[in-house]
Amino acid sequence: MADTLDDVHEIFAVRYAHHDRQSPENFLFGDPHDILQPLAYFVWVIRGPHGTFVVDTGFDEAMANKRGRTIVRPVAEGLQSIGVKPDEVKDVIVTHLHYDHCGNHDVFPKATYHLQDTEIAYATGRYMAHQVMRIPFEIDDVIAMVRKVFGGRVQFHDGTEQLAPGITLHKIGGHSKGLQCVRVKTKRGYVVLASDATHLYDHIYEGRVFPVTFNVGDVLEGYSTIKRMADSLDHIVPGHDPAVIEKYPAAAPGLEKFVVRLDVPPRA
Ligand SMILES: [Zn+2]
């Protein structure tokens, strides 16, 4: 007999890469402070009564070198550190098709990939004819996803859909045309894995916008949507903020700075 907690999940943030940069690079119209404001790179894991869901797949060493980023722990190793075997994962949610969210194409050979209709249309359609729009995309990532479509391994979603009890996908758009967030029920309430709907806490807290953007208006509207979806501001998890790794407890001893629990409250 199912108990009443069959929709409650654990969530982990798995940090895999790092990039030092100055704050003006993180905001449309720049930043007057011009301070060091690094980005962290994560994949996320949702674990519960309906199995294990990996959110985004990160990039590998070759892409880190190409893009001038630093791998701190390869994605597969980070996942294994919390007992997730990549070659057994059945469900991968891809928030969007930017290079830092959909690489490592062969690490999840048994997985079905969950993607918004709008995102594959965006990544293969008219806007990619413009060099500026292509900057955050890699042709090999897009082709790898198209191959998975033809391999019967992509499940498409349109707007808001439930993946399992307590796990819903929500199309936000803005940063990328078909960007989706994931809302997860946990023992502390509803947590939103915002991915790049807000890169840093500063973006959603201050109503500021990351410079790489398909539609500024949709980014700003997205902030309102996410705030309604999450139980509090402390239930919103930004896509690239190094503070996430400081605020939340390590998943296990020895995983400090690499894997943290998001289904427990952050430190005040
Ligand atoms: Zn990103």
Side-chain angles (χ1 to χ4, degrees):
M1 190 179 125
D3 63 31
T4 53
L5 295 177
D6 69 349
D7 56 356
V8 172
H9 303 79
E10 299 175 327
I11 318 178
F12 303 87
V14 180
R15 177 172 163 259
Y16 72 91
H18 178 87
H19 184 232
D20 277 333
R21 54 167 62 189
Q22 293 298 116
S23 58
E25 290 182 68
N26 288 330
F27 299 98
L28 188 63
F29 310 124
D31 182 60
H33 303 300
D34 198 11
I35 51 168
L36 182 67
Q37 191 175 47
L39 294 186
Y41 294 80
F42 299 96
V43 300
W44 301 270
V45 172
I46 302 164
R47 194 153 66 187
H50 307 281
T52 297
F53 299 77
V54 172
V55 181
D56 289 343
T57 59
F59 53 73
D60 63 11
E61 190 70 47
M63 187 56 62
N65 292 334
K66 179 177 179 183
R67 294 269 182 168
R69 273 56 171 161
T70 305
I71 299 280
V72 296
R73 182 170 286 183
V75 167
E77 275 181 43
L79 293 173
Q80 282 155 0
S81 75
I82 51 168
V84 175
K85 298 190 175 100
D87 55 358
E88 292 179 5
V89 168
K90 292 201 177 73
D91 291 282
V92 170
I93 299 163
V94 175
T95 62
H96 61 305
L97 290 171
H98 289 174
Y99 79 95
D100 53 323
H101 297 262
C102 67
N104 291 306
H105 313 137
D106 302 318
V107 169
F108 304 96
K110 291 183 185 159
T112 293
Y113 286 66
H114 298 271
L115 187 65
Q116 289 281 330
D117 286 329
T118 305
E119 188 66 1
I120 197 84
Y122 177 45
T124 56
R126 67 167 60 228
Y127 293 111
M128 292 304 114
H130 303 288
Q131 189 272 335
V132 167
M133 308 303 273
R134 289 195 298 267
I135 289 172
F137 292 90
E138 287 284 339
I139 186 171
D140 289 343
D141 290 340
V142 176
I143 288 171
M145 190 59 72
V146 171
R147 288 189 186 284
K148 288 185 174 77
V149 174
F150 276 70
R153 295 183 54 206
V154 179
Q155 186 175 332
F156 285 104
H157 302 275
D158 184 18
T160 298
E161 290 189 27
Q162 177 173 290
L163 267 196
I167 304 176
T168 47
L169 306 176
H170 301 261
K171 186 172 85 171
I172 300 292
H175 170 66
S176 193
K177 195 161 187 270
L179 172 75
Q180 61 183 349
C181 294
V182 190
R183 183 180 193 236
V184 185
K185 190 173 176 185
T186 71
K187 61 181 187 250
R188 75 173 171 116
Y190 282 102
V191 171
V192 175
L193 298 175
S195 184
D196 291 2
T198 183
H199 284 64
L200 304 172
Y201 287 107
D202 282 356
H203 290 111
I204 192 164
Y205 285 6
E206 299 173 6
R208 301 166 78 191
V209 177
F210 194 76
V212 175
T213 301
F214 175 73
N215 183 310
V216 171
D218 287 348
V219 170
L220 296 166
E221 286 293 301
Y223 295 157
S224 304
T225 303
I226 291 167
K227 285 174 182 169
R228 285 194 302 271
M229 284 160 48
D231 274 12
S232 79
L233 287 177
D234 264 343
H235 290 72
I236 298 168
V237 181
H240 289 281
D241 203 319
V244 168
I245 220 80
E246 311 292 339
K247 284 166 76 92
Y248 290 93
L255 293 181
E256 295 83 5
K257 310 282 183 206
F258 291 108
V259 188
V260 293
R261 285 282 292 270
L262 302 174
D263 55 308
V264 298
R267 295 184 192 97

